[in-house]
């Protein structure tokens, strides 16, 4: 694997730059499969679409996920599970997140969107300021909570579930020692466990909620036939779906509004496409979401570990090597995406405007470990935008000047705004 000069990393350390800037230089100098010594061992950065496809989709048996840190929060939940356990867990949940299974959650998503739209109406009437990022978090959490429990999200639960995000944000900086790491976030984990336990007990007690039985019922029902679905595993799946399913969507919707602030005609073009509720309008709104996910794929780095020796598009990768697949850099490669920094939803509407290689656009990952919630995330984003976009334009009073590249890529700062009645 072509590897960059260690001086590059030393300089980057000294300058205190962002990881994404270093990775971008690594790709520039060493190509789509590039070695870099971030610590004593070699890490391989993978951005070439063919190599991305090989690692994630063609040979996932050779490139495995290792989620030591995430396990602290999500235990053996689907995102961290491996081997046969992962297969069983994925099979159970997959049916709920595709085709007819998904349709069961459609009205809950619509209810959550309607609740947000009503809140935005009130903001618009009173001229009160709102924080777009916080609003999107509330919406995404409400959506997944309703889908899990059958209940709308109340303020107290919303407050307690802030602990999920707090632990998620702390993960990269926690001590390497597992006990010390657990101690550091013990209070937040206890809050999360209490909410999870309450929700599981409510379902066991026959509480289906006004929206009818939810995903949690599927999990507790599974427990009656399958001994592996212990209360601990049900808790782990619940927390996994909360953690994986709300920050990602919320951040995407926040980026989308920040991008519309820079490219207001994109909103007008989407609303000019077809009538409200038409398939044409839906496609145009979904293109806004896709183009946002191209520029800001929430999961911007997908780590893998080589379990055996392999040849990766002509390069030798030894067993034990850590790899970083980086959708963010692939999505901004000018050889794949002309004028890559420009927000242009037409790329996803006009045939021939985007590369069709499966490894060239992968905000939800590809292969067997691709996002479980892909359809769910696209539906909730589209439904919310169909409610909000025609009603208001958002006037930001300040916008974050840069992105924060943590586990997700998110705006680095608050996003205060007021709403103005839409003229178009
Ligand atoms: C996995 C992105 C929304 C649940 C993933 C992966 C990506 C991703 C890239 C694969 C990670 C890897 O290969 O290492 C996103 C984005 C979202 C989103 C960008 C929103 C815009 C959701 C939602 C849910 C969800 C709404 C649940 C309701 C999951 C789960 C996995 C996963 C459970 C693990 C799947 C497995 O390992 O089998 N997501 N996701 N995600 N996502 Fe999402």
């Amino acid at each position: 694997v072509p590897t960059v000069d260690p001086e590059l990393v030393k300089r980057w350390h000294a300058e205190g730059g962002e990881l994404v800037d270093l990775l971008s230089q690594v790709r520039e100098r060493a190509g789509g499969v590039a070695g870099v010594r971030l610590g004593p061992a070699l890490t391989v950065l993978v951005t070439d679409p063919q190599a991305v496809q090989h690692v994630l989709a063609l040979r996932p048996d050779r490139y495995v996920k290792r989620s030591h840190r995430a396990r602290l929060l999500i235990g053996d939940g689907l995102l961290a599970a491996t081997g046969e356990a992962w297969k069983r867990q994925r099979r159970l949940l997959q049916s709920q997140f595709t085709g007819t299974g998904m349709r069961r959650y459609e009205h809950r998503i619509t209810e959550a969107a309607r609740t947000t739209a009503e809140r935005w109406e009130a903001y618009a009437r009173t001229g009160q300021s709102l924080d777009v990022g916080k609003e999107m978090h509330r919406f995404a959490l409400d959506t997944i909570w309703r889908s899990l429990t059958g209940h709308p999200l109340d303020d107290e639960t919303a407050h307690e579930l802030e602990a999920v995000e707090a632990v998620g944000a702390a993960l990269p900086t926690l001590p390497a020692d597992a006990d010390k790491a657990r101690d550091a976030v013990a209070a937040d984990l206890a809050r999360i466990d209490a909410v999870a336990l309450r929700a599981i007990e409510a379902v066991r007690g026959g509480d289906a909620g006004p929206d009818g039985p939810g995903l949690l019922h599927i999990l507790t029902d599974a427990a009656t036939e399958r001994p592996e679905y212990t209360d601990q595993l049900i808790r782990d799946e619940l927390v996994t779906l909360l953690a994986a399913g709300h920050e990602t969507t919320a951040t995407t919707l926040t980026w989308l509004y920040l991008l519309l602030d820079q490219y207001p005609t994109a909103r007008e073009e989407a609303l000019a496409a077809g009538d409200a509720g038409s398939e044409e309008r839906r496609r145009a709104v979904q293109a806004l979401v896709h183009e946002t996910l191209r520029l800001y794929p929430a999961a911007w780095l997908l780590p893998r570990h080589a379990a055996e020796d392999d040849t990766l598009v002509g390069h030798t990768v030894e067993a034990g090597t850590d790899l970083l697949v980086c959708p963010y850099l692939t999505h901004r490669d000018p050889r794949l995406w002309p004028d890559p920094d420009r927000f242009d939803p037409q790329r996803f509407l006009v045939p021939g405007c985007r590369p069709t290689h499966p490894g060239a656009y992968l905000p939800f990952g590809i292969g067997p470990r691709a996002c479980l919630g892909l359809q769910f995330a696209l539906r909730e984003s589209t439904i919310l935008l169909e409610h909000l976009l025609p009603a208001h334009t958002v006037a930001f009073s300040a916008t974050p000047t840069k992105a924060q590249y943590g586990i997700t890529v998110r705006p680095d700062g608050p996003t205060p705004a007021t709403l103005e009645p839409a003229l178009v």
Side-chain angles (χ1 to χ4, degrees):
V1 173
T3 299
V4 294
D5 186 340
E7 278 306 314
L8 182 74
V9 182
K10 269 195 205 148
R11 235 187 356 260
W12 169 75
H13 260 301
E15 287 166 7
E18 291 279 1
L19 179 60
V20 69
D21 297 329
L22 173 67
L23 297 181
S24 174
Q25 288 179 44
V26 170
R27 191 215 16 211
E28 225 164 81
R29 286 171 197 214
V33 177
V36 55
R37 287 187 191 279
L38 295 171
L42 185 77
T43 297
V44 174
L45 174 68
V46 183
T47 52
D48 167 70
Q50 221 181 314
V52 167
Q53 185 186 26
H54 180 91
V55 170
L56 297 182
L58 301 179
R59 296 316 309 247
D61 51 325
R62 291 190 184 161
Y63 298 95
V64 297
K65 283 180 87 162
R66 290 204 305 186
S67 323
H68 301 311
R69 282 175 183 270
R71 274 181 191 277
L72 193 63
L73 175 64
I74 61 172
D76 293 329
L78 185 62
L79 197 74
T82 53
E84 285 305 309
W86 168 76
K87 264 191 205 153
R88 281 196 304 269
Q89 287 169 237
R90 177 97 192 192
R91 211 174 298 134
L92 179 71
L93 288 175
Q94 183 80 34
S95 61
Q96 301 299 310
F97 282 92
T98 40
T100 45
M102 243 314 286
R103 261 177 247 142
R104 294 183 44 201
Y105 303 100
E106 187 109 357
H107 74 280
R108 297 164 202 237
I109 297 177
T110 307
E111 278 310 304
R114 210 174 282 153
T115 307
T116 307
E118 279 166 15
R119 215 168 42 237
W120 279 39
E121 272 310 315
Y123 285 128
R125 252 196 329 272
T126 56
Q128 202 189 332
S129 164
L130 74 163
D131 186 289
V132 173
K134 283 194 182 145
E135 285 293 311
M136 296 308 171
H137 270 89
R138 179 70 194 235
F139 163 72
L141 197 55
D142 186 19
T143 310
I144 188 72
W145 186 253
R146 285 173 192 260
S147 305
L148 282 159
T149 66
H151 287 279
L153 183 70
D154 58 277
D155 288 344
E156 192 198 328
T157 309
H159 179 70
E160 288 304 295
L161 287 177
E162 283 168 12
V164 174
E165 223 164 301
V167 177
L171 285 179
T173 57
L174 288 177
D177 179 273
D179 291 333
K180 283 191 187 137
R182 182 168 289 278
D183 284 350
V185 287
D188 279 332
L189 287 176
R191 283 168 68 194
I192 296 167
D193 288 351
V195 174
L197 196 68
R198 251 201 328 272
I200 295 167
E201 276 172 359
V203 168
R204 288 245 164 84
D207 171 14
D211 286 347
L215 280 163
L216 252 185
H217 285 76
I218 306 289
L219 295 165
T220 51
D221 281 356
T224 58
E225 287 165 23
R226 308 185 198 187
E228 68 271 20
Y229 276 90
T230 57
D231 276 9
Q232 182 63 42
L233 183 56
I234 296 173
R235 174 266 176 220
D236 290 348
E237 291 295 38
L238 168 69
V239 177
T240 298
L241 293 173
L242 284 171
H246 99 276
E247 154 84 21
T248 40
T249 309
T251 315
T252 305
L253 288 164
T254 309
W255 280 123
L256 191 148
Y257 268 99
L258 287 168
L259 286 163
L260 289 185
D261 189 51
Q262 288 175 52
Y263 299 88
T265 52
R267 173 185 163 276
E268 287 153 27
E269 278 165 17
L271 292 175
D275 296 326
S278 68
E279 190 50 40
E280 199 187 346
R281 172 74 63 84
R282 183 157 297 177
R283 265 171 37 81
V285 171
Q286 197 153 300
L288 295 177
V289 179
H290 277 304
E291 180 65 346
T292 303
L293 282 166
R294 182 185 68 82
L295 284 171
Y296 296 104
W300 71 285
L301 270 186
L302 310 177
R304 290 295 189 271
H305 183 78
E308 16 176 319
D309 292 348
D310 190 30
T311 306
L312 175 57
V313 294
H315 304 290
T316 303
V317 174
E318 287 177 12
T321 306
D322 286 320
L323 298 96
L324 290 173
V325 176
C326 185
Y328 183 94
L329 289 178
T330 303
H331 292 179
R332 289 180 186 243
D333 184 340
R335 283 158 302 182
L336 299 167
W337 302 90
D339 200 359
D341 295 336
R342 194 163 64 90
F343 180 73
D344 181 7
Q346 293 298 317
R347 297 181 206 265
F348 290 91
L349 288 168
V350 181
C353 273
R354 70 182 188 95
T356 49
H357 193 288
Y361 176 67
L362 65 154
F364 295 101
I366 53 172
R369 300 299 300 240
C371 182
L372 174 80
L374 184 158
Q375 287 189 25
F376 190 96
L378 290 177
R379 283 305 288 138
E380 65 177 319
S381 304
T382 312
I383 291 175
L384 181 71
L385 292 168
E386 283 174 342
H387 277 80
L388 298 185
L389 284 181
H392 323 275
T393 54
V394 169
F396 285 99
S397 38
T399 51
T401 49
K402 54 191 181 80
Q404 197 187 84
Y405 298 85
I407 293 180
T408 56
V409 52
R410 50 158 117 185
D412 190 11
T415 43
T418 50
L419 299 175
E420 288 165 6
L423 301 174
V424 186

